[in-house]
Amino acid sequence: NEYKSYLRMSHDPTKKYDLFGTEEAAKKYSSYTPPLSARVVEHVLRRSTEHVLLVDAGCGSGSSSRPFAKHFKSVVGVDYSDAQINLARGLTSEDNISYMHTSLDTLPFEDASVDCVLGVMLIQFLDVPHFYKEVDRVLKKGGCLVLHGKGSPSFKDELLNKRALYIKNKLFKGLWHDRTMINVTQYRTIPMLYPDTCEREDFAVTKSWTIPDYVNFMLSWSAALKYCQRENISYQELHKKLVGMMAGMTLEDNCNANNGDDNGDDNISQSTETEDLEKKFEVKYDGFILSWRKD
């Protein structure tokens, strides 16, 4: 049943999932996505038999590569986005980290040469069975594949959470990539690489964010980039719009923000009392790790 669920969301080989292919989008993604959790680093180190070569597949700007510089002899980040790779090279000072601009259809490494393949927020963009074949080819015996994903942050404050859901499900409706559900289901629907050695780790991360902090995070979403392109506005204009909506937006009772139905009232009015933009609110999101070791 899990495999059939995956097939229903199967990869479309005609599409390219370079969602952050502009320099500005790459910088927004790098600046505003939460840093790699120490739980991921600990998991990788525990699951890897040796710490010689780590490959960060879909490395983006290198934020998931750099934490491993002091733990592995060599770290190589690979990504199909020129903008992300160029940014990663500019942000990295460690001598044992390098980056390659390449498709992930064929990993550019020798057979049985890699100790760990890491994928952070990656698997939903790939032809998973094909990727697994490549991972199996390059991994050493005792090497591991580690996949890490993150859920959407939610506010403890119910009104703010409702406003955030409205933006995600109504304002950005139709702008999410076609395989978002793989991340929403926290990788529970993807096939197993080595079923006998599978290990899963779930954890929660809590942050204290202001409304502008949360809006900055929103600007790292691929849907935000698509919205700017569709509406022909700048990131700065979208930032101002979203801060206004998060700080003072009121929703009519019949506006179903939770599922983004079209049956609700789309009229948005400004509240007479807006939230303090410097006030910090509790925000929580789920982290999840799925890994396999090649025995």
Side-chain angles (χ1 to χ4, degrees), residues 12 15 62 65 68-69 91 111 124 143 167 180 196 247 283 287 292:
D12 182 349
K15 291 187 176 182
S65 305
F68 294 97
L91 293 173
D111 295 358
Q124 57 264 39
I167 292 170
T180 301
D196 293 339
V283 179
W292 302 267

Side-chain angles (χ1 to χ4, degrees), residues 36 40 44 54-57 64 68 116-120 122 145-146:
L36 189 70
V40 180
V44 166
L54 178 139
V55 173
D56 184 6
S64 52
F68 294 97
C116 178
V117 176
L118 172 67
V120 176
L122 169 76
L145 169 65
V146 178

